[in-house]
C-alpha cells in the first residue's frame, strides 16, 4: 500500500467553476477525513466518514461543499461555484478507528486549489 | 469550541541551538499529537501523548503533556537544518474522530 493518495495535486480554476477532488485512503482504513489548510495555518476540520456514513460536518462546510464516500472506499470533495476564498490546500487523512493513543491518522499530500 | 494555541508562530535559529514550542488550550484532550509538515506535503505524525505529565523522547525531540492534559510542549536539543518545517500540535477527544489542530510553528534552522 502506498498510503493515502490525493488527486489532483494541484488545481487552478476560474471563480465560479466547480471542482472535484479525490482521495484514496489506505485500503483497510474505515475512517476518512477532509481538512482545509491555508498558508501558514494548521489544518481545519471539514468532515469525516466512517465507512460510507458521513458522521460530522464542520460549519466551515458551506452549502457549496459536498463530500461523498460511496461504498466506503475512495472519497470525493466537490466545491461548487468556487470563490477566491476557497484557495487552500485540501488534505485527506485516513485511520483505522478514531485517532488517539493507539491509532494514527495518515495524511495524503493534499490538493492545492487556486481560484483565480 | 476547542482551540489549541501554539507559540511561537515563527522561530528562526542557528544550527546547534535548543528550542521549545508550546501548545496550550483551555480544554482537556484525551490525547495530543505532534506532527511535522514539509512544504507541499501532508503532516506526518511524530508522537502521541496520552497521560497527564507524560514525557516522550524521540532522539533529540522531547514531548511533554501537561498534568491537566490541556497543554503540551516540544523541545528540540541541538537543532539541525533537517529539523526545518512546520510543527503542528493536534488534540483528540472522545466525542468524535476529528483532530483539532493548532495554527503551527514555522521553524527555520540556519547552518
Amino acid at each position: 500500500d502506498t498510503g493515502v493518495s490525493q488527486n489532483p495535486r494541484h488545481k487552478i480554476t476560474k471563480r465560479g467553476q466547480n471542482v472535484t477532488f479525490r482521495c484514496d485512503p489506505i485500503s483497510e482504513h474505515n475512517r476518512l477525513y477532509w481538512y482545509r489548510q491555508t498558508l501558514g495555518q494548521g489544518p481545519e476540520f471539514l468532515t469525516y466518514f466512517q465507512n460510507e456514513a458521513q458522521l460530522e460536518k464542520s460549519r466551515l462546510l458551506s452549502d457549496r461543499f459536498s463530500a461523498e464516500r460511496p461504498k466506503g472506499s475512495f472519497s470525493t470533495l466537490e466545491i461548487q461555484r468556487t470563490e477566491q476564498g476557497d484557495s487552500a490546500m485540501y488534505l485527506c487523512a485516513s485511520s483505522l478507528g478514531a485517532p488517539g493513543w493507539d491509532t494514527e491518522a495518515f495524511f495524503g499530500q493534499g490538493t492545492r486549489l487556486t481560484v483565480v | 469550541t476547542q482551540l489549541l494555541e501554539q507559540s511561537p508562530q515563527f522561530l528562526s535559529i542557528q544550527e546547534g541551538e535548543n528550542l521549545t514550542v508550546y501548545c496550550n488550550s483551555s480544554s482537556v484532550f484525551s490525547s495530543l499529537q505532534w506532527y511535522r509538515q514539509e512544504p507541499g506535503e501532508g503532516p506526518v505524525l511524530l508522537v502521541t501523548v496520552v497521560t497527564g505529565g507524560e514525557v516522550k523522547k524521540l532522539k533529540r525531540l522531547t514531548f511533554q503533556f501537561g498534568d491537566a492534559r490541556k497543554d503540551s510542549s516540544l523541545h528540540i536539543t541541538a537543532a539541525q537544518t533537517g529539523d526545518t518545517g512546520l510543527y503542528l500540535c493536534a488534540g483528540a477527544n472522545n466525542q468524535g474522530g476529528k483532530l483539532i489542530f493548532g495554527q503551527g510553528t514555522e521553524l527555520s534552522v540556519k547552518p
Side-chain angles (χ1 to χ4, degrees):
Chain A
D1 198 333
T2 56
V4 178
S5 177
Q6 290 189 246
N7 289 287
R9 289 291 309 277
H10 304 274
K11 178 72 176 178
I12 300 174
T13 191
K14 291 184 178 179
R15 191 174 51 186
Q17 297 293 305
N18 299 343
V19 294
T20 300
F21 310 141
R22 176 177 170 127
C23 172
D24 287 273
I26 293 172
S27 57
E28 66 269 22
H29 285 183
N30 58 349
R31 290 203 175 202
L32 186 148
Y33 310 83
W34 285 99
Y35 289 84
R36 181 173 67 187
Q37 186 177 25
T38 52
L39 205 61
Q41 299 295 314
E44 296 174 295
F45 170 77
L46 293 178
T47 187
Y48 88 94
F49 295 83
Q50 180 162 301
N51 300 314
E52 67 275 10
Q54 189 173 17
L55 295 188
E56 187 174 350
K57 291 196 299 185
S58 164
R59 284 173 291 177
L60 292 173
L61 216 63
S62 75
D63 291 345
R64 298 183 297 105
F65 287 70
S66 62
E68 295 182 341
R69 193 184 182 196
K71 303 177 184 178
S73 56
F74 71 92
S75 176
T76 58
L77 177 68
E78 181 184 15
I79 308 174
Q80 296 182 326
R81 304 181 304 281
T82 52
E83 302 172 357
Q84 286 188 320
D86 297 332
S87 295
M89 173 80 88
Y90 289 84
L91 291 164
C92 175
S94 72
S95 64
L96 189 61
W101 69 276
D102 63 348
T103 302
E104 179 177 352
F106 292 84
F107 282 81
Q109 293 176 301
T111 294
R112 179 161 296 285
L113 173 66
T114 302
V115 181
V116 297
Chain B
T1 303
Q2 293 181 303
L3 291 173
L4 279 169
E5 297 282 339
Q6 277 188 246
S7 62
Q9 279 195 274
F10 301 96
L11 195 52
S12 181
I13 60 171
Q14 295 295 127
E15 201 169 25
E17 293 183 359
N18 302 334
L19 66 113
T20 303
V21 176
Y22 299 93
C23 178
N24 296 300
S25 175
S26 58
S27 303
V28 175
F29 291 97
S30 58
S31 66
L32 199 136
Q33 305 183 337
W34 284 92
Y35 290 82
R36 179 166 170 266
Q37 185 178 22
E38 298 198 34
E41 302 291 329
V44 176
L45 182 67
L46 294 173
V47 78
T48 299
V49 285
V50 180
T51 307
E54 181 177 5
V55 176
K56 279 192 175 178
K57 291 194 175 184
L58 191 68
K59 297 184 181 178
R60 294 175 294 100
L61 278 60
T62 302
F63 304 86
Q64 187 162 7
F65 203 12
D67 291 341
R69 289 187 290 136
K70 292 182 180 180
D71 53 86
S72 182
S73 63
L74 157 61
H75 183 78
I76 301 179
T77 303
Q80 299 175 355
T81 54
D83 295 328
T84 292
L86 180 67
Y87 289 81
L88 296 158
C89 64
N93 58 40
N94 294 323
Q95 297 169 357
K98 68 187 179 194
L99 291 170
I100 307 295
F101 281 88
Q103 69 268 57
T105 295
E106 189 73 56
L107 172 65
S108 173
V109 182
K110 301 186 186 309

